[in-house]
Amino acid sequence: HQCDLLHVRDMLKQQGGGLAMFLHAVSRFYVAAYYKLGHSAVPVHDPVTVAYVINKDMFTTREVRVDVETVSNLTLGHSVVDWYGQSGKKKNCKIVTGVDTTKSYK
């Protein structure tokens, strides 16, 4: 994950102010839940999605073929990405592969 809540929390604390300090305080429960599950980073999926809608220039993307497994008991519901065009199927999805975090935290 290229955008991590731990970094965002540090920035909020440095910024100060009522809203920033509130967000810093309430996000500690979210961070604790990720640590309890053994994660070392805490992704911020929803804010990054909103950032993509607002400013696509912050992101690097790639057009690929994506299918969802619908018949396997083992991998049912998993997304299968054809990164190299091996399936011969038409590309149907744009995937974000990178984000300029210097812009995303402003």
Side-chain angles (χ1 to χ4, degrees), residues 1-72:
H1 292 96
Q2 297 175 32
C3 292
D4 185 14
L5 183 58
L6 301 175
H7 181 73
V8 174
R9 290 184 81 241
D10 289 343
M11 290 181 52
L12 288 169
K13 191 172 184 177
Q14 290 173 2
Q15 179 182 330
L19 179 59
M21 295 312 293
F22 171 75
L23 293 171
H24 180 270
V26 299
S27 63
R28 73 183 169 102
F29 299 103
Y30 192 67
V31 170
Y34 264 81
Y35 280 148
K36 187 176 181 179
L37 294 171
H39 297 280
S40 60
V42 183
V44 286
H45 298 118
D46 294 344
V48 170
T49 302
V50 172
Y52 181 79
V53 172
I54 294 170
N55 185 2
K56 292 177 178 61
D57 293 338
M58 293 171 33
F59 298 87
T60 305
T61 61
R62 184 169 168 191
E63 299 259 349
V64 294
R65 175 68 188 200
V66 176
D67 289 296
V68 178
E69 180 59 57
T70 60
V71 295
S72 170

